[in-house]
Amino acid sequence: PEFSPKAVTLRPIHGALFRYTRLPLLVCLLPTPTVILLTRFLPFWAEIIRFCGLMAFLPAAWWLLLGIFDCHSAGIGVSEAAYTLRYARGFCLHTVVLPRQKISHICLRQSIFQKRRGCCDVLFYSYHERRTVHRVRQLPLSEVQKLPDVK
């Protein structure tokens, strides 16, 4: 290939694991009380309810594991010709090598909680057949502002 992935040099801040796993953790914990309540009110359907609860838990557990892996693998690598972006979207991890000439603009986004911690989400908008947005979360703001194409 014309562009090869570079090593990630800009990683999420220390302690960002909760931001990556809070929603999957909540979704993992929800089926248990739901199954308990439903089996008490509908004891004849207990086996089906437990099976459905297990089937609801499996994708949530996968999402939780993905969040943990994403926190440890996410980041940005910079070379002279391209950016290497590592992030998760949906139920899979992505590695994108984005040539600099294909970048429409780079946007930094901060929530009120991120402002206190000094971190931000970086959104890369790129030129393709359709508008594509790549989002890398929880990166240190001071280091992101040093990137060559960030204004």
Side-chain angles (χ1 to χ4, degrees), residues 46-78:
E47 291 300 317
I48 293 174
I49 292 169
R50 285 188 196 107
F51 177 76
C52 290
L54 177 66
M55 291 298 111
F57 174 76
L58 292 177
W62 176 256
W63 191 20
L64 179 64
L65 287 173
L66 182 72
I68 293 168
F69 288 131
D70 184 25
C71 183
H72 294 293
S73 68
I76 299 174
V78 183

Side-chain angles (χ1 to χ4, degrees), residues 107-125:
C107 177
L108 306 181
R109 190 169 65 182
Q110 280 186 303
S111 69
I112 54 174
F113 302 109
Q114 288 177 324
K115 285 181 183 179
R116 288 195 340 221
R117 298 207 57 193
C119 61
C120 64
D121 293 350
V122 182
L123 286 83
F124 288 83
Y125 293 88

Side-chain angles (χ1 to χ4, degrees), residues 22-39:
R22 68 175 176 222
L23 189 58
L25 187 60
L26 179 67
V27 173
C28 274
L29 296 176
L30 277 179
T32 305
T34 306
V35 167
I36 291 170
L37 284 173
L38 285 175
T39 53

Side-chain angles (χ1 to χ4, degrees), residues 13-22 67-69 71-72 138:
I13 63 169
H14 183 70
L17 183 63
F18 183 69
R19 171 91 194 275
Y20 282 87
T21 59
R22 68 175 176 222
I68 293 168
F69 288 131
C71 183
H72 294 293
Q138 292 295 101

Side-chain angles (χ1 to χ4, degrees), residues 5-16:
K6 299 297 178 194
V8 173
T9 56
L10 190 57
R11 296 197 172 275
I13 63 169
H14 183 70

Side-chain angles (χ1 to χ4, degrees), residues 75-93:
I76 299 174
V78 183
S79 70
E80 293 177 10
Y83 284 99
T84 299
L85 312 174
R86 295 183 192 270
Y87 63 95
R89 180 185 290 166
F91 282 97
C92 58
L93 296 169

